[in-house]
Amino acid sequence: VCAVGCAALFLSIRLQKHITGPLLKLKNITEDIAHEANYDRILPLPVKDEIGELYHSFGEMIHQIRLRENARDIAEAALKDSEDKLLITLNSIGDAVISTDCKGRVIRMNPIAEQLTGWQIDEAIGQELTKVFPIVDTTTGEVIKSPVEKVMSTGKIIYLSNHTTLVARDGSEYQIADSAAP
């Protein structure tokens, strides 16, 4: 009975040392990563068995995650720089410029467009172009449809007639020459 008890104790210690212990360490590392995005935990040196292979695969996964995060950070910085340059260019244009998404909702406008329409950019974002930039035919008074649909369907620049009036938010009217481009 003593020999069986000693063998069981010995087996339990070996199990703890070679399987359970390393798996618990790996579990703790995964929790650190999940909760703190801490990829800098050093994995213990694995042994050359299935647990070691698991550690190796896990280490490779962490390495790939780090590489992807670095690439994402670089891409985000480049995108921010590009957006900053776009904003500088947009804001330096002396004509009113309004950008929309494919459905005709405002996504950007420059300060000249804000002055002309009476809409601040933070209020205009997400609004339909026809609401922020309502235009009418000066000769007939008829509302001119948003040019976005035509531009999106043809993929070409369109020019509206020289008889176009913008009705600003406060009711002011401005004769404009208008065009739209994809």
Side-chain angles (χ1 to χ4, degrees):
V1 173
C2 183
V4 173
C6 287
L9 180 62
F10 175 75
L11 185 59
S12 174
I13 291 170
R14 289 203 40 92
L15 183 67
Q16 173 65 28
K17 181 179 179 186
H18 293 290
I19 298 175
T20 309
L23 287 177
L24 286 174
K25 286 180 187 176
L26 194 56
K27 175 193 155 290
N28 291 336
I29 291 169
T30 60
E31 286 175 350
D32 280 355
I33 290 172
H35 298 293
E36 302 169 19
N38 176 9
Y39 301 110
D40 296 325
R41 287 284 304 266
I42 305 296
L43 291 175
L45 291 175
V47 292
K48 295 189 183 219
D49 60 10
E50 292 85 359
I51 299 293
E53 289 179 23
L54 182 61
Y55 269 86
H56 176 74
S57 295
F58 193 79
E60 280 299 310
M61 180 184 70
I62 290 173
H63 176 69
Q64 290 300 318
I65 290 171
R66 282 185 187 138
L67 290 176
R68 288 183 183 119
E69 281 191 344
N70 288 340
R72 185 200 63 218
D73 291 346
I74 290 168
E76 284 177 352
L79 178 61
K80 172 89 170 83
D81 183 54
S82 179
E83 287 176 345
D84 290 346
K85 288 176 181 172
L86 173 64
L87 192 58
I88 289 168
T89 301
L90 183 65
N91 289 345
S92 69
I93 296 173
D95 293 327
V97 178
I98 300 175
S99 298
T100 69
D101 61 15
C102 296
K103 294 182 178 161
R105 293 182 302 253
V106 174
I107 57 173
R108 283 190 182 90
M109 59 193 291
N110 68 354
I112 302 297
E114 288 180 311
Q115 292 170 2
L116 197 60
T117 63
W119 284 79
Q120 297 299 309
I121 184 63
D122 58 331
E123 299 171 308
I125 289 178
Q127 298 291 334
E128 295 292 326
L129 179 63
T130 53
K131 183 174 182 179
V132 175
F133 193 75
I135 49 179
V136 296
D137 184 308
T138 305
T139 56
T140 66
E142 290 181 26
V143 173
I144 299 173
K145 288 176 49 174
S146 170
V148 173
E149 193 174 302
K150 187 171 184 180
V151 167
M152 294 306 297
S153 67
T154 65
K156 297 180 180 177
I157 297 173
I158 62 165
Y159 299 94
L160 299 177
S161 73
N162 291 334
H163 307 290
T164 305
T165 299
L166 166 68
V167 181
R169 194 173 194 183
D170 67 1
S172 301
E173 295 184 356
Y174 300 98
Q175 289 291 128
I176 61 169
D178 191 23
S179 66

